[in-house]
Amino acid sequence: MNNSVSNTARLLGAGLRALLVLTLVTGVLYPLVVTGIAQGLFHDQANGSEAKADGRVVGSSLIGQAYNLPLKKGQETPEPDLKWFQGRPQNGLGTNNVNTQYKLILSGATNRSGDNEELIQWVKDAKAAVVKDNSTGTYKVKPSQVPADAVTSSGSGLDPNISPQYADIQVHRVAEKNGLSTAQVRRLVDEHTEGRTLGFMGEPRVNVLELNIALKELVAKS
């Protein structure tokens, strides 16, 4: 009987020591090491890829945001603020009815098939709006110039990037609205166009938030 109790106590003691060691290693030391490496080698990414303007954080370069005018009385859908470069449509996001105290970031796709009548109408309306909004007195956008990313939302609805083609057809409008030359604005687009990752993955892209931060700085200097 005494031997049985003694063996049980030893087993319990060994198990407790193993638990404490594993807790220390996996619950304290390992997270500290990983966090230290992340902060040292990948500081920006580890902290959410924050984008700053005027000395404060204005968003993340990984999350797209809308550039809209304040809602007018009776409006349900805000109009785009055309002095800024516009990102992709966000049709899949819906509205936040879970916690109305905070404006939570919602992510989601439209979940509609390619032959869905509502989706087809969305695309037609978006294409007409892109042509109208980006045509100026001296530059007319043709429907054939409108790329797919200008009229469709991404799978998450939060894509921060647009294609160089979509950025390019916005250049004249942005220049006119901000009193800049098209050459100045096009130079900004070129400077913020990223190529394929490692030269072969993905597509060339322009980060809208970073581009608009640079635009704001250029307008302030002009």
Side-chain angles (χ1 to χ4, degrees):
M1 184 69 177
N2 289 336
N3 288 337
S4 177
V5 172
S6 177
N7 289 336
T8 300
R10 282 198 297 273
L11 290 173
L12 287 173
L16 181 59
R17 287 193 296 274
L19 175 63
L20 292 174
V21 170
L22 289 173
T23 299
L24 178 64
V25 172
T26 62
V28 179
L29 296 180
Y30 177 74
L32 288 175
V33 170
V34 171
T35 300
I37 292 174
Q39 290 293 334
L41 300 180
F42 309 101
H43 180 77
D44 290 340
Q45 294 89 336
N47 290 285
S49 300
E50 295 174 340
K52 295 182 178 180
D54 300 325
R56 63 187 182 89
V57 176
V58 295
S60 168
S61 61
L62 301 178
I63 300 175
Q65 45 181 279
Y67 292 86
N68 295 326
L69 294 169
L71 277 173
K72 298 177 183 177
K73 187 175 181 180
Q75 272 189 331
E76 293 184 2
T77 304
E79 297 175 3
D81 189 343
L82 296 179
K83 71 179 181 180
W84 303 108
F85 281 92
Q86 297 293 312
R88 297 183 65 173
Q90 300 177 334
N91 292 333
L93 298 188
T95 56
N96 166 32
N97 55 14
V98 178
N99 186 339
T100 55
Q101 184 177 358
Y102 301 101
K103 292 183 178 179
L104 302 178
I105 294 174
L106 301 178
S107 174
T110 62
N111 291 327
R112 287 166 172 77
S113 62
D115 60 354
N116 179 270
E117 291 184 3
E118 187 177 23
L119 177 61
I120 293 172
Q121 192 59 52
W122 280 349
V123 171
K124 288 181 178 179
D125 292 344
K127 191 169 189 177
V130 168
V131 170
K132 177 178 177 292
D133 290 344
N134 292 287
S135 293
T136 69
T138 58
Y139 175 77
K140 301 299 179 184
V141 176
K142 299 177 182 178
S144 59
Q145 292 177 270
V146 180
D149 62 296
V151 297
T152 57
S153 59
S154 64
S156 67
L158 298 173
D159 190 347
N161 304 312
I162 57 175
S163 65
Q165 292 80 7
Y166 187 26
D168 185 63
I169 64 175
Q170 298 186 61
V171 165
H172 288 80
R173 182 253 300 163
V174 169
E176 183 181 85
K177 295 289 184 182
N178 289 282
L180 301 170
S181 70
T182 55
Q184 287 176 297
V185 179
R186 182 163 281 114
R187 191 178 306 116
L188 276 186
V189 172
D190 291 341
E191 291 172 352
H192 288 82
T193 298
E194 301 177 52
R196 291 180 172 89
T197 303
L198 299 180
F200 67 94
M201 291 191 296
E203 296 294 331
R205 58 202 178 275
V206 181
N207 188 283
V208 179
L209 174 59
E210 294 176 355
L211 179 59
N212 279 333
I213 291 173
L215 173 63
K216 183 179 180 181
E217 293 174 352
L218 179 60
V219 170
K221 294 176 183 177
S222 300

